[in-house]
């Protein structure tokens, strides 16, 4: 893992990676389903179409991310069963792993599992060594995520559709393809939300011009 620069706030970032300045934050972990072992749910029908239209990822990448989450989660469960609690979040084919593993050996093995899944282009392993989190703790994290998302909408400083929120152990991870201004605004809203201990950025940065191009609603949805 790369060692992050530690700014004098509760918001962290890691150095660059991949083609669009992938900023990886180091901290604790991500949003998970409230019940251990639940896999990501793939949106279908009208809801999936609406989500893809408002997303800055290509439609092909959006679908790939859903598939990556399913495959990685399935392989981890098949290998370790309930001995680990690992949450899988794929955004633009970069996979964020969060949760708990019983020891360093198991934690390290997770990287290889993710790397073996087709279309994955990066792994950010933030799984910690320790006992699995409780259902109460996961429920609290889910409430924090919901609150942060609601405050994004209320703030009206950026499109909430462009930022994914993941929480674990009261640490909020923010993922997305965003401008610097959008990232700063999102981090500030999340940081000041109730119950948040730390904000970790896992962003790919783009220019304002590129953001306008991706958000242009005219024409057909971009294909991969």
């Amino acid at each position: 893992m790369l060692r992050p620069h530690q700014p004098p706030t509760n918001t962290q970032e890691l150095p660059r990676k991949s083609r669009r300045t992938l900023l990886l934050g180091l901290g604790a972990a991500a949003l998970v389903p409230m019940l251990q072992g639940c896999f990501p749910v793939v949106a279908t029908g009208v809801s999936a179409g609406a989500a893809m239209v408002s997303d800055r990822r290509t439609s092909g990448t959006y679908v790939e991310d859903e598939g990556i989450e399913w495959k990685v989660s399935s392989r981890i469960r098949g290998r370790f069963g309930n001995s680990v609690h690992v949450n899988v979040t794929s955004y633009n084919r970069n996979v964020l792993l969060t949760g708990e593993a019983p020891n360093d050996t198991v934690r390290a093995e997770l990287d290889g599992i993710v790397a073996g899944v087709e279309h994955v282009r990066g792994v950010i392993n933030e799984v910690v060594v320790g006992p699995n989190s409780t259902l109460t703790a996961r429920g609290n994290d889910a409430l924090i995520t919901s609150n942060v998302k609601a405050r994004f909408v209320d703030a009206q400083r950026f499109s909430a559709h462009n930022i994914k929120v993941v929480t674990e152990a009261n640490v909020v991870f923010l993922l997305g393809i965003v401008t610097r201004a959008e990232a700063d605004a999102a981090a500030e809203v999340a940081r000041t939300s109730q119950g948040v201990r730390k904000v970790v950025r896992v962003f790919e940065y783009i220019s304002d011009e590129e953001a306008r191009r991706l958000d242009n609603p005219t024409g057909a949805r971009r294909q991969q």
Side-chain angles (χ1 to χ4, degrees), residues 18-209:
S18 84
R19 62 181 182 183
R20 273 192 186 157
T21 326
L22 176 62
L23 271 282
L24 310 179
L26 184 62
L31 169 69
V32 265
M34 290 180 64
L35 297 179
Q36 178 176 345
C38 291
F39 291 166
V41 177
V42 178
T44 57
V46 175
S47 61
M52 282 189 285
V53 166
S54 62
D55 201 291
R56 283 176 177 167
R57 290 170 290 181
T58 66
S59 57
T61 299
Y62 184 100
V63 172
E64 284 179 353
D65 281 333
E66 297 287 353
I68 287 169
E69 290 181 356
W70 274 93
K71 291 175 184 177
V72 173
S73 296
S74 178
R75 293 184 188 187
I76 291 175
R77 171 170 279 271
R79 175 70 177 86
F80 300 111
N82 292 329
S83 66
V84 301
H85 165 238
V86 178
N87 312 299
V88 181
T89 306
S90 181
Y91 199 95
N92 210 24
R93 297 181 296 172
N94 289 291
V95 177
L96 172 67
L97 299 178
T98 58
E100 303 83 36
N103 53 60
D104 287 322
T105 300
V106 172
R107 181 185 182 279
E109 192 173 337
L110 297 172
D111 288 351
I113 292 176
V114 178
V117 173
E118 188 179 10
H119 302 307
V120 171
R121 66 186 181 102
V123 183
I124 307 105
N125 187 347
E126 293 302 327
V127 172
V128 300
V129 174
N132 290 355
S133 62
T134 66
L135 291 179
T136 299
R138 297 177 208 177
N140 182 65
D141 288 337
L143 288 175
I144 290 175
T145 294
S146 296
N147 183 45
V148 170
K149 289 180 176 179
R151 294 192 71 223
F152 281 175
V153 174
D154 291 341
Q156 298 184 350
R157 297 169 63 184
F158 50 86
S159 174
H161 294 296
N162 294 330
I163 299 177
K164 192 164 190 173
V165 183
V166 192
T167 309
E168 188 164 312
N170 293 31
V171 176
V172 171
F173 283 77
L174 302 177
L175 305 91
I177 301 171
V178 298
T179 66
R180 293 277 179 175
E182 290 170 335
D184 290 343
E188 177 63 18
V189 172
R191 184 184 65 80
T192 57
S193 296
Q194 184 175 2
V196 175
R197 178 165 60 89
K198 185 185 297 182
V199 175
V200 179
R201 303 186 188 199
V202 192
F203 286 135
E204 292 188 57
Y205 288 125
I206 57 176
S207 66
D208 292 339
E209 180 181 2

